[in-house]
Amino acid sequence: MTAAVAAPIWRVRIHELGVIPQLPKTLYFPDAADGELMDIPCYCYVLTDGVSVVLVDSGANPVLARQGGCTVVGGSDEELAAALSADGFTPDDVRYVVHTHLHYDHLANDGLLRKAHVVVQQEELDWALSGRSGPFYVAVPDWMGVLGRRLLRVTGETELLPGLRLVPNGGHTPGHQSVIVNVAADHRACICGDIVSMLANVSAPGAVTSDLIATQAFLARASSAGWIMLPSHDPDFRAHDWFVPRGR
Ligand SMILES: [Zn+2]
């Protein structure tokens, strides 16, 4: 009889790469007062199981934002390189970049990651190229051209690596996905993307929700599974150190 092999435990670190200044707070907090503004940090999550390095999103930068008529402060390839270096990695160590979706504030620093395969749901790519996807998809054909054969399209729920699963969930964009990762033998974290931009959106989805039914279905699944929710833009998640599951 062979013993079951335990799935690897992944460590997760959050890095801030770019800030979108002065957005209406009501985008994220339905109860906020009209006219209230807030700065929104953009996060890149760096995951490792001690063998592979995986990024979830690569943050924002001012150059790509400007092409789309948007403003971003900070965020750059250099900042991403410094963030990886602080974790003990080089850009060439990154095996995969998983994109929750293809808005400009989630993929702007992919050019640095020359050896990584870049993983996106086919449905998100189709939507991005549909001509109907709106202004937050900036220069996607150029981005695809840079990646070439390193672009990996997946369809549906996918175990990318042991202990690391991609779960499409719509909600924010049609092909949006989250990443579920083992962070302890009995704990899973959900790197949400913009289906949960702020932690408060777990109980009160914000205005950036395009499909409320899909969002609520995913949040119900997350709740019953007990996933630890890691949002994409919550200022309270700045400067977290290596992520430690609750109760440890
Ligand atoms: Zn976003």
Side-chain angles (χ1 to χ4, degrees):
M1 198 169 102
T2 42
V5 178
I9 303 301
W10 290 79
R11 294 202 298 175
V12 177
R13 189 160 174 157
I14 304 168
H15 291 288
E16 180 179 329
L17 286 171
V19 173
I20 306 173
Q22 300 293 286
L23 289 182
K25 203 169 176 180
T26 47
L27 284 176
Y28 302 100
F29 298 97
D31 295 338
D34 280 345
E36 251 191 293
L37 302 174
M38 68 182 294
D39 295 343
I40 307 294
C42 302
Y43 294 136
C44 161
Y45 284 85
V46 179
L47 283 51
T48 184
D49 64 350
V51 178
S52 299
V53 180
V54 177
L55 264 55
V56 181
D57 293 330
S58 67
N61 76 39
V63 178
L64 188 66
R66 215 173 299 124
Q67 280 185 56
C70 303
T71 302
V72 162
V73 177
S76 65
D77 285 5
E78 290 76 20
E79 277 188 30
L80 177 53
L84 288 167
S85 176
D87 293 348
F89 305 124
T90 71
D92 287 356
D93 292 332
V94 178
R95 182 173 174 191
Y96 292 109
V97 183
V98 178
H99 285 305
T100 58
H101 60 300
L102 299 179
H103 283 171
Y104 74 94
D105 55 322
H106 290 258
L107 52 65
N109 301 298
D110 281 4
L112 179 72
L113 308 162
R114 292 177 296 266
K115 295 200 172 167
H117 283 90
V118 174
V119 186
V120 62
Q121 288 284 332
Q122 179 71 57
E123 189 175 357
E124 179 66 7
L125 204 53
D126 291 345
W127 174 246
L129 300 173
S130 67
R132 298 179 288 117
S133 53
F136 300 133
Y137 291 86
V138 178
V140 172
D142 296 345
W143 169 82
M144 292 175 69
V146 169
L147 298 179
R149 294 168 65 163
R150 293 190 294 115
L151 179 59
L152 288 185
R153 306 140 194 255
V154 295
T155 299
E157 201 159 320
T158 302
E159 187 172 35
L160 184 65
L161 290 167
L164 195 157
R165 175 169 287 273
L166 315 181
V167 177
N169 45 25
H172 179 61
T173 64
H176 187 281
Q177 63 183 347
S178 300
V179 177
I180 312 302
V181 60
N182 290 3
V183 291
D186 53 356
H187 285 80
R188 313 266 176 281
C190 173
I191 302 168
C192 300
D194 271 321
I195 200 160
V196 174
S197 305
M198 306 289 164
L199 194 58
N201 300 141
V202 169
S203 49
V208 295
T209 304
S210 60
D211 183 339
L212 190 57
I213 290 172
T215 298
Q216 287 172 332
F218 181 73
L219 293 175
R221 178 177 173 185
S223 171
S224 70
W227 295 332
I228 299 158
M229 304 298 269
L230 302 177
S232 59
H233 294 291
D234 192 326
D236 288 348
F237 279 68
R238 277 179 162 139
H240 268 224
D241 207 337
W242 282 108
F243 177 73
V244 180
R246 285 176 299 209
R248 302 260 143 182

